[in-house]
Amino acid sequence: MSKGKVLNLKDKINGNEMDLSLCNLSEVPVKELAALRKATVLDLSCNNITSLPPDFCKLTHLIRVDLSKNQLASLPDDLGNLCNLQHLDLYNNKLTALPVSFSQLRNLKWLDLKDNPLETELAKAAGDCLDEKQCKQCASKVLLRMKEVQGEVDKAREKRFLKEREQEKKREAKKREREAKEREVRKQEKAEEKERRRKEYQAQLDATAAQEHQRRKKEEKRKRNGLAAGGVPDKKAAEESAPKPRRSLIGLLFKLLLLLLLGLAGAVAACQLTDLRREAACVPVSAALEQGLVWARQQDVLLRQLLKDWSTMAKELLESSQTAKN
């Protein structure tokens, strides 16, 4: 009979006993059993059950369980939660070991582990279990053995915990050391940055002071050049600082040319307008005048432009001289 066909468990219950033996079960109907709290005796013998689901350990109302002649290779880790279990039959299965929590079955009074390939120490504790007395001894000795295993597991767990704690402490110490180094590096970098900024600020102050010093030196030098000892003006400096009249070479040449022309004009006038024109000295003057008039007429335009340029230049020189004086 498969699990699907055993849905109406009320047909299998008699008082407080639930008989599911010889039902060809491959799984335990835990959900249906949990709903029948009055069934404290459960017979699952002679089926094809290979494992018990974890929820089986929640059936804490069970007092007696028969799982003999199945195919169980292991039991749930939380089997010790069946705190009310007193009688457990595991005859003729494939068990090699029991879960560590088995030691928590403090109410267990009867146990049968015959015909299981148990490990040596567990098989030695279980004994033969050929009668009621031996099965009770089996329960007592197996519980003691599992308590020893529990102690060994606890020691191993504690040792592992202490080791992990020690490793955690070492990691924390390394972490603190690393953080301390990082803080020191940041502190050093901050100090270096502060020193760099201080030096830059000091350099700016020094540069400003140097510029101010140079400015003052130049000002003092100008004052020394402008004043002689005792506050009397220095003659040489006064002469150098006094405005000098600008003499134009072109203006001087212009004056000389003007005088020359006036002289020539006077000579020509004397030779032309007086009785001196008959004198031998006026003959070349008259001839030169004639030639000069001819040349002048030829160069009239050029001369006018030259005079214009000279006048402009003279005017500009006079204006620049006046501006310099002001």
Side-chain angles (χ1 to χ4, degrees), residues 52-58 76 78:
L52 298 177
D55 288 347
F56 183 83
C57 302
K58 295 180 180 180
D78 295 331

Side-chain angles (χ1 to χ4, degrees), residues 248-251 312-322:
S248 173
L249 180 60
I250 297 176
T312 302
M313 293 175 62
K315 184 178 180 181
E316 291 178 353
L317 288 172
L318 290 174
E319 290 177 354
S320 64
S321 177
Q322 185 66 26

Side-chain angles (χ1 to χ4, degrees), residues 88-146:
L88 179 59
D89 193 345
L90 295 171
Y91 166 73
N92 194 10
N93 278 279
K94 297 181 179 180
L95 299 172
T96 58
L98 297 176
V100 178
S101 65
F102 198 92
S103 61
Q104 299 174 14
L105 299 175
R106 297 181 178 85
N107 292 318
L108 189 65
K109 306 298 181 183
W110 194 96
L111 176 64
D112 190 352
L113 287 172
K114 290 191 306 295
D115 291 343
N116 280 283
L118 300 174
E119 59 185 18
T120 305
E121 293 297 325
L122 184 57
K124 184 177 179 181
D128 296 332
C129 195
L130 297 177
D131 53 27
E132 187 75 11
K133 181 179 179 180
Q134 289 182 350
C135 289
K136 289 182 178 181
Q137 291 176 350
C138 174
S140 177
K141 291 181 179 180
V142 168
L143 284 176
L144 289 175
R145 170 59 189 163
M146 295 311 299

Side-chain angles (χ1 to χ4, degrees), residues 62-77:
L62 295 177
I63 296 176
R64 183 184 183 118
V65 177
D66 188 351
L67 287 165
S68 62
K69 296 182 180 180
N70 277 284
Q71 304 296 320
L72 293 173
S74 63
L75 297 176
D77 292 336

Side-chain angles (χ1 to χ4, degrees), residues 34-212:
L36 300 172
R37 303 287 295 179
K38 67 177 183 177
T40 58
V41 177
L42 176 62
D43 188 355
L44 291 169
S45 63
C46 301
N47 283 293
N48 296 316
I49 301 172
T50 58
S51 64
L52 298 177
D55 288 347
F56 183 83
C57 302
K58 295 180 180 180
L59 303 177
T60 56
H61 61 283
L62 295 177
I63 296 176
R64 183 184 183 118
V65 177
D66 188 351
L67 287 165
S68 62
K69 296 182 180 180
N70 277 284
Q71 304 296 320
L72 293 173
S74 63
L75 297 176
D77 292 336
D78 295 331
L79 188 69
N81 291 340
L82 300 178
C83 55
N84 293 313
L85 190 61
Q86 299 179 12
H87 184 110
L88 179 59
D89 193 345
L90 295 171
Y91 166 73
N92 194 10
N93 278 279
K94 297 181 179 180
L95 299 172
T96 58
L98 297 176
V100 178
S101 65
F102 198 92
S103 61
Q104 299 174 14
L105 299 175
R106 297 181 178 85
N107 292 318
L108 189 65
K109 306 298 181 183
W110 194 96
L111 176 64
D112 190 352
L113 287 172
K114 290 191 306 295
D115 291 343
N116 280 283
L118 300 174
E119 59 185 18
T120 305
E121 293 297 325
L122 184 57
K124 184 177 179 181
D128 296 332
C129 195
L130 297 177
D131 53 27
E132 187 75 11
K133 181 179 179 180
Q134 289 182 350
C135 289
K136 289 182 178 181
Q137 291 176 350
C138 174
S140 177
K141 291 181 179 180
V142 168
L143 284 176
L144 289 175
R145 170 59 189 163
M146 295 311 299
K147 287 179 180 179
E148 293 177 359
V149 173
Q150 180 71 55
E152 294 173 359
V153 171
D154 291 342
K155 287 181 181 179
R157 186 181 293 112
E158 183 179 2
K159 185 177 180 180
R160 184 169 60 252
F161 172 76
L162 293 175
K163 184 177 180 181
E164 290 177 354
R165 187 176 179 182
E166 186 67 23
Q167 291 176 349
E168 183 66 22
K169 287 182 179 179
K170 290 181 179 179
R171 286 194 294 268
E172 288 293 331
K174 289 181 179 180
K175 183 179 179 181
R176 287 193 296 270
E177 183 180 357
R178 183 174 64 254
E179 290 176 350
K181 289 181 179 179
E182 291 176 354
R183 286 195 299 271
E184 187 65 26
V185 170
R186 287 195 296 269
K187 184 178 179 181
Q188 183 66 25
E189 291 176 350
K190 188 175 180 180
E192 292 176 356
E193 177 65 15
K194 185 177 181 180
E195 180 65 17
R196 183 185 66 79
R197 292 169 61 185
R198 188 192 65 79
K199 289 181 178 179
E200 290 179 354
Y201 178 71
Q202 187 62 39
Q204 291 177 356
L205 292 179
D206 293 342
T208 304
Q211 292 177 357
E212 183 65 19

